[in-house]
Structures are given as C-alpha cells and as structure tokens.
C-alpha cells in the first residue's frame, strides 16, 4: 500500500491508498519537533482504533515545511523499510516540468495539485487552494504549472485583524445573511467572507483575460465549499486533490523506474 503524506504549514495529512481508493485519512498539527517514533505511534494507534490493517510498502511526501521532512524520512525507513519519494527533490520526477522563471522554486503543494488536477480535468485550469495562504495555480494545456498568485489565507487574515485591532474579537468564518453588518462580529464576517469572494472572483477573471482562452476553475481546501456557497466561484470542488496528485506522481515515478 502507498502512504501519502502532505505536510502543510498548519496541518500534516496522512492518507492510505490501496491502489483504487483511500482507506483512511488522518490529520495532525504540523510540528517540526515531532520525532519519527512519535509519528509512528500516532499513526499506528489511529489504524488500530479504526481496525485498519495496513501493509505500507511505498511512501510519497509533499512538504512546505522542510524541517519536517527529515523525521518523516526516518519514520518511513525505520518502520516501513522504504525510501520515500519527496516531491520537489531531483529524484522525484514530475509528469510535466513547471515553466517558471529560471531559479524559481515552486512549492511542492502546488506541483502536486497541478498533477492531480491535470489527471482529472486536463489542462487550461485555475486551481484555487484555501490553505494557510490562498493560492491560485495556473495549469497549461499540456499539464505544466506556469505560475499563479499567492494571497493571505482566510484564517491568517482574521487572526491578523484580531491581533492588530484591540477592540476587534476573534470570529469564526461563516457566510453572513447580509453584506451590511449590524454588529461588530457581523461586520467582520461580512468583510472576510464577501471580501474573499471578491478576491477570488476578481483574480480568476484577470487570470482568464491574461491567459486568453477558456479555463476551468477548481476549488480545493477546507473552505472551498463555504465560499462557493456565496457565489458561483468554481466549476467544481475537489476535496482530495492534493492526495490524488500524490498518487499520480507516485505512479509516474514507478512507471519510469
């Protein structure tokens, strides 16, 4: 079985792929201090709790936090007896190389999303990923990542607003019933929700104008369904795009060994 690990700035996700479907998905806070042994105890305990028997023989990792990769490598070597593929490293091949400025390093998460989206939908895509940052990835007709946009994430914006303005409380993200707020919480929720609807819609329209050909817009990340409810932002929403992309890249590497 293939263990797919996606390490983001906020959370690290482990998903077990049996070749046809994901058997389970577990999530932990990303902490670079966590040791290989701690990862394995956490992982094996959850498998036992859910009564899942897992014979992990292959591992692929995507990480936007470089310091975490070392202990994940140690875990896979110590407990699974295999060397993981790490997206972004020279020995991990990509189905199509990105076309960006020379010397530019593209985030592994964006490469993985590109591979997964192209496999499912073909090219000429905009992928909007609601994570710690809100990213827009442009996928060409041949499946290459050709650039994009990085904006502050929704939760990051809310937290910054709360910390910088002493009178403003911390609020949860939700869709307000009206744009005009009648209290402080309502005003903040409206600003964040409708502000990001405007941001996503506006940037996607500008990307389409610059790209100058029809494009499909995909939404992914935990907040994508919420923001799609306020406006027809996306042609489709992909809940497991990153994990699917990891299976695509893994399959490509195995086919080219």
């Amino acid at each position: 079985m293939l263990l797919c690990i996606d390490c983001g700035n906020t959370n690290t996700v482990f998903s077990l792929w049996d070749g046809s479907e994901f058997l389970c998905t577990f999530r932990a806070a990303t902490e670079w201090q966590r040791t290989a042994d701690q990862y394995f105890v956490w992982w094996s305990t959850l498998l036992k709790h859910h009564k899942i028997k897992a014979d992990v023989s292959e591992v692929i990792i995507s990480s936007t936090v470089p310091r975490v990769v070392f202990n994940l490598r140690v875990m896979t070597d110590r407990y699974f007896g295999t060397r993981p593929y790490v997206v972004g490293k020279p020995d991990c091949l990509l189905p199509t190389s990105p076309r960006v400025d020379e010397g530019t390093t593209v985030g592994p998460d964006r490469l993985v999303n590109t591979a997964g989206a192209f496999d499912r939908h073909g090219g000429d895509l905009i992928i909007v990923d609601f994570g710690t940052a809100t990213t827009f990835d442009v996928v060409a007709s041949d499946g290459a990542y050709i650039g994009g946009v990085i904006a502050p994430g929704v939760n990051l914006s809310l937290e910054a607003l709360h910390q910088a303005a002493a009178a403003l409380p911390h609020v949860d993200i939700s869709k307000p019933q009206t744009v005009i707020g009648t209290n402080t919480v309502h005003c903040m929720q409206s600003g964040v929700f409708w502000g990001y609807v405007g941001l996503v819609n506006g940037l996607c329209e500008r990307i389409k104008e610059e790209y100058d050909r029809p494009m499909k817009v995909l939404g992914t990340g935990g907040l994508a369904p919420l923001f799609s409810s306020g406006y027809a932002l996306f042609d489709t929403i992909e809940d497991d795009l990153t994990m699917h992309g990891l299976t695509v890249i893994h399959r490509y590497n195995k086919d080219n060994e």
Side-chain angles (χ1 to χ4, degrees):
M1 292 186 183
L2 172 65
L3 175 58
C4 300
I5 304 175
D6 172 40
C7 177
N9 291 296
T10 304
N11 292 318
T12 299
V13 182
F14 288 62
S15 288
L16 189 63
W17 174 254
D18 71 354
S20 60
E21 64 178 349
F22 287 107
L23 300 180
C24 60
T25 297
F26 303 136
R27 186 180 299 266
T30 298
E31 296 177 358
W32 68 265
Q33 302 97 328
R34 186 174 282 122
T35 67
D37 299 327
Q38 288 174 314
Y39 275 118
F40 183 73
V41 169
W42 170 82
W43 164 254
S44 57
T45 300
L46 284 171
L47 287 178
K48 184 178 180 180
H49 174 77
H50 290 279
K51 298 180 173 59
I52 298 172
K53 293 184 178 180
D55 182 18
V56 176
S57 57
E58 300 280 350
V59 179
I60 184 166
I61 300 170
S62 169
S63 178
T64 58
V65 186
R67 299 178 75 179
V68 173
V69 175
F70 175 78
N71 282 318
L72 290 174
R73 281 182 178 273
V74 172
M75 180 194 70
T76 60
D77 177 62
R78 180 178 299 167
Y79 292 104
F80 303 134
T82 186
R83 183 183 182 190
Y85 291 104
V86 180
V87 179
K89 298 297 183 182
D91 58 348
C92 184
L93 305 176
L94 297 172
T96 308
S97 298
R99 294 196 293 274
V100 293
D101 292 344
E102 185 176 352
T104 299
T105 300
V106 181
D109 53 334
R110 310 184 84 173
L111 298 174
V112 171
N113 282 349
T114 296
F118 182 73
D119 183 69
R120 285 180 170 170
H121 301 281
D124 300 328
L125 306 174
I126 303 171
I127 306 167
V128 184
D129 188 354
F130 291 89
T132 304
T134 301
T135 59
F136 299 72
D137 302 326
V138 180
V139 184
S141 57
D142 63 349
Y145 170 87
I146 59 171
V149 177
I150 301 175
V154 180
N155 285 300
L156 190 64
S157 296
L158 270 175
E159 189 62 28
L161 190 61
H162 168 61
Q163 291 184 359
L168 297 181
H170 178 80
V171 300
D172 294 326
I173 302 166
S174 65
K175 177 185 175 182
Q177 295 301 311
T178 60
V179 176
I180 300 173
T182 54
N183 57 65
T184 301
V185 171
H186 187 175
C187 290
M188 292 175 66
Q189 289 175 332
S190 182
V192 170
F193 181 85
W194 292 111
Y196 270 85
V197 167
L199 181 145
V200 172
N201 185 56
L203 282 174
C204 286
E205 288 303 314
R206 287 181 174 272
I207 290 171
K208 290 177 182 179
E209 289 175 9
E210 193 169 294
Y211 194 73
D212 198 25
R213 62 190 302 174
M215 304 182 79
K216 181 181 289 187
V217 182
L218 311 183
T220 190
L223 292 175
L226 172 64
F227 282 95
S228 185
S229 70
Y231 197 86
L233 293 176
F234 312 118
D235 294 296
T236 186
I237 293 176
E238 295 281 357
D239 295 329
D240 63 344
L241 184 62
T242 301
M243 288 302 167
H244 177 67
L246 285 171
T247 69
V248 170
I249 293 175
H250 177 265
R251 182 174 67 243
Y252 182 79
N253 279 267
K254 298 303 288 184
D255 290 344
N256 287 275
E257 282 186 345

